[in-house]
Amino acid sequence: MSVKLHAPLALLPQGWTRDVLFEIDAAGILISVTPAVTPAVTPAVPPGDAERAAGPVIAGMPNLHSHAFQRAIAGRTGRAGAAGDSFWTWRQAMYAFLERVDADAFEAIAEEAYVEMLKAGYTSVAEFHYVHHDPQGRPYADPAELAHRVAGAAHRAGIALTLLPVFYAHAGFGGQPPAASQRRFVHTVDSFARLVLSLAGTSDARGHVLGVAPHSLRAVTPGELAAIVALLPQGPIHIHAAEQTREVADCVAWSRQRPVEWLLAHAGLDARWCVVHATHMMAHESAELAASGAVAGLAPTTEADLGDGTFGARTYKDAGGAFGIGSDSNTIIDPFAELRQLEWSQRLASLTRNVLAGDDEPVGQASFTATAIGGARALGIAAGRLAPGCRADLIVLDPDAPALAGQPPEALLDAAIFGPCRQPVRDVMVGGRWLVRDGHHHREAETLGRYRAALARCTG
């Protein structure tokens, strides 16, 4: 049985359109998207038995890169050491916190992060899941224990999940032995293959997409990379690359190539791949990565928080590159804030404005549309557009939000991203189910209670 939703205004692939009727099948897929033949000047009465959306409708945003457990250290890493602070010192603080997180806390933290994502307008998430073992580095009785906890948290929150178990074996380029602080992450190729096989047997039943994630060239040797990629003939492949200048220098010392350059030459990048961060690329790397069909996975607020650097978005966009956004460390969970940071970082670097604007689209609409489509590709799902055959993942913007008041359709997303509006989202639907209504998730109170209890155990 299908259901119908009438939108007084919706952002379709062809642009903003008035009086749109969406029909959604029992599996949560858009069967039809039908604009009125003669749009009314004023909002029309919903046809037949269709529910009426409470505001403008846009596609939900895929979150292409999340480490859900890091939500718990947001705000706890603001002190610089005597020698200063960097990504590398932050990483040590993250490792130290992780030593106190058991499986129950891991799950509670993930569910809180996913509920917050939904309230902010993320309707799907790629979880880059690299914590596999207990705090002492021992495999659980079920080696997929923490992966199942992630899947359970996503299921209860209602967010669509692309699960990316991470292969991590080394502490540096050239196969350096892992550090003691990395013991919760480490697998051999054989043990990781067993993990992936186990998860492949449950992913369809749980309704999520399964991919693989070789962590980075510093954590995976070339032979291991080839073996991990071969484990799944289909599905997404995500890898960190070129996030930090030290990483780039170390990669050059090891291989005489930069990280993205090495991947382009040796890994066979194509549309299945998401190269996360890709912050430090030369012009030829940007052009070749764009041509490969891979998605650049950007996390602008995390990259700013960690002092990573600024992605060369103008060069990459001009080359036709696909890109999406993710919440990464979950210090900030807000796709509109990610897009604001992305555009503002480009303005600061180029001393110009509206860097990501399209030929016929204002910057907010152009960047939202591009990242929704690129993010869906990175997650391996049909989403990111309000079109037949896509998932019914959508956001209803809040017409009562002050920043959106009185805005014409073409300015709505610019106002939501750059205006003084902290919460432009009113309602959120995932796979045809309403999960957020009037800004509230139906499990938010219970989830927050479990999260608070988990933090107390981890930090007390």
Side-chain angles (χ1 to χ4, degrees), residues 157-226:
I159 198 166
L161 175 67
T162 293
L163 180 61
L164 301 168
V166 173
F167 179 80
Y168 196 119
H170 306 287
F173 292 95
Q176 297 177 32
S181 56
Q182 297 165 334
R183 62 185 179 271
R184 299 195 72 174
F185 317 153
V186 175
H187 269 287
T188 65
V189 170
D190 287 344
S191 67
F192 187 77
R194 291 192 294 272
L195 172 68
V196 171
L197 181 63
S198 169
L199 293 172
T202 61
S203 60
D204 287 345
R206 287 178 173 265
H208 59 250
V209 175
L210 180 66
V212 291
H215 180 273
S216 59
L217 290 178
R218 68 177 186 269
V220 180
T221 65
E224 290 165 344
L225 176 62

Side-chain angles (χ1 to χ4, degrees), residues 340-358:
R340 181 169 60 246
Q341 178 63 35
L342 175 60
E343 172 65 25
W344 280 357
S345 70
Q346 304 308 304
R347 296 182 187 191
L348 290 168
S350 66
L351 306 181
T352 59
R353 297 188 71 247
N354 299 326
V355 177
L356 296 178

Side-chain angles (χ1 to χ4, degrees), residues 257-326:
Q257 289 181 302
R258 302 163 64 84
V260 174
E261 192 175 36
W262 192 97
L263 288 168
L264 288 162
H266 300 283
L269 300 189
D270 59 22
R272 292 177 63 197
W273 287 75
C274 177
V275 180
V276 181
H277 302 302
T279 307
H280 301 286
M281 293 192 294
M282 306 295 286
H284 73 278
E285 293 175 281
S286 291
E288 291 176 31
L289 183 62
S292 75
V295 177
L298 311 180
T301 64
T302 294
E303 290 151 3
D305 179 52
L306 298 181
D308 288 343
T310 301
F311 178 77
R314 170 168 281 174
T315 300
Y316 187 71
K317 177 177 177 290
D318 288 348
F323 59 98
I325 55 169

Side-chain angles (χ1 to χ4, degrees), residues 111-147:
E111 186 173 345
E112 175 63 22
Y114 295 153
V115 166
E116 292 180 16
M117 287 177 197
L118 287 163
K119 292 171 67 175
Y122 289 118
T123 49
S124 51
V125 60
E127 184 61 32
F128 199 94
H129 171 61
Y130 60 81
V131 184
H132 301 298
H133 311 313
D134 73 13
Q136 287 72 46
R138 298 179 302 235
Y140 288 95
D142 179 353
E145 175 70 26
L146 293 185

Side-chain angles (χ1 to χ4, degrees), residues 35 47-48 65 67 107 136 143 149 177 216 219 228 246 257 264 270 293 305 324 328 339 375 407 435:
H65 191 64
H67 306 299
E107 184 173 17
Q136 287 72 46
R149 296 300 188 110
S216 59
I228 297 311
R246 184 177 118 185
Q257 289 181 302
L264 288 162
D270 59 22
D305 179 52
D328 195 352
L339 292 174
Q407 297 286 0
L435 296 176

Side-chain angles (χ1 to χ4, degrees), residues 6 11 49 67 86 90 103 130 151 179 231-232 262 316 363 366 380 402 437 460:
H6 173 260
L11 182 57
D49 56 354
H67 306 299
S86 68
W90 170 88
Y130 60 81
L231 290 174
L232 285 181
W262 192 97
Y316 187 71
V363 63
R437 289 287 208 173

